[in-house]
Amino acid sequence: VPVGETGEIVINIKNGLPCGLATCYYGDEEKTNETWKDGFYHTGDTVYMDDDGYIWFVGRKDDIIKSAGYRISPFEVESVLQQHPAVMECAVTGVEDKKRGQAVKATIVLSPGYEASRELEVELFDFVKHETALYKSPRIIEFVKELPKTVSGKIRRVEIREKDKGKNAEKIKQDF
């Protein structure tokens, strides 16, 4: 893709398999076929290259949020939110939204000394919109005691998405 445009990292395997690259998803032929196509291994990682030739991580392909025609990286929004002193850790996901397709949702664990409130929710929204584009700001903020994680400590966004499945943005807002 051109400089500045987001694309997926793929590995050319036409001349042989690089050392350490798995040959399949054991017991999951469908996932294997999605990943191995036309002599390329699709990593699922999206990146862009800047004018100096540096490659910048955007996020996992399956985590990208599509809202009102924009492609939003959860990683970017999380990086902004984590700069706020009230945010100990967070995960950003997309939830079904009738108007936008998906709405940006931030699931946040608060730092000690902070309490969930409508005022803090508005403060965090304002904080993000002043640090990045308005369309990337969370429309929904959910405060939780802890985030679901793998045994190695990685946040399981898929579990958050599963919990929100079937709910639309308006329903989630009412739950708060």
Side-chain angles (χ1 to χ4, degrees), residues 108-143:
I108 297 173
V109 176
L110 293 172
S111 298
Y114 289 89
E115 290 187 27
S117 68
R118 180 69 179 140
E119 292 76 23
L120 181 57
E121 185 179 6
V122 170
E123 181 181 332
L124 290 168
F125 173 75
D126 287 341
F127 180 79
V128 175
K129 80 176 184 183
H130 286 98
E131 296 295 318
T132 190
L134 178 62
Y135 69 87
K136 296 178 184 178
S137 295
R139 302 276 180 222
I140 304 154
I141 293 178
E142 178 183 20
F143 298 105

Side-chain angles (χ1 to χ4, degrees), residues 105-109 140-144 160 163-164 172 176:
K105 177 191 173 203
T107 305
I108 297 173
V109 176
I140 304 154
I141 293 178
E142 178 183 20
F143 298 105
V144 296
I160 296 168
K163 181 181 139 281
D164 291 338
I172 293 170
F176 177 73

Side-chain angles (χ1 to χ4, degrees), residues 5-24:
E5 189 175 316
T6 299
E8 180 185 8
I9 293 178
V10 295
I11 300 170
N12 184 343
I13 55 170
K14 292 176 183 172
N15 297 324
L17 194 64
C19 183
L21 192 60
T23 58
C24 67

Side-chain angles (χ1 to χ4, degrees), residues 21-38:
L21 192 60
T23 58
C24 67
Y25 282 88
Y26 181 75
D28 193 342
E29 188 175 338
E30 184 179 332
K31 182 71 172 169
T32 299
N33 291 337
E34 288 174 16
T35 306
W36 298 84
K37 291 187 238 170
D38 302 321

Side-chain angles (χ1 to χ4, degrees), residues 3-4 48-56:
V3 170
Y48 72 91
M49 184 183 297
D50 67 17
D51 292 328
D52 295 322
Y54 289 97
I55 295 175
W56 296 87

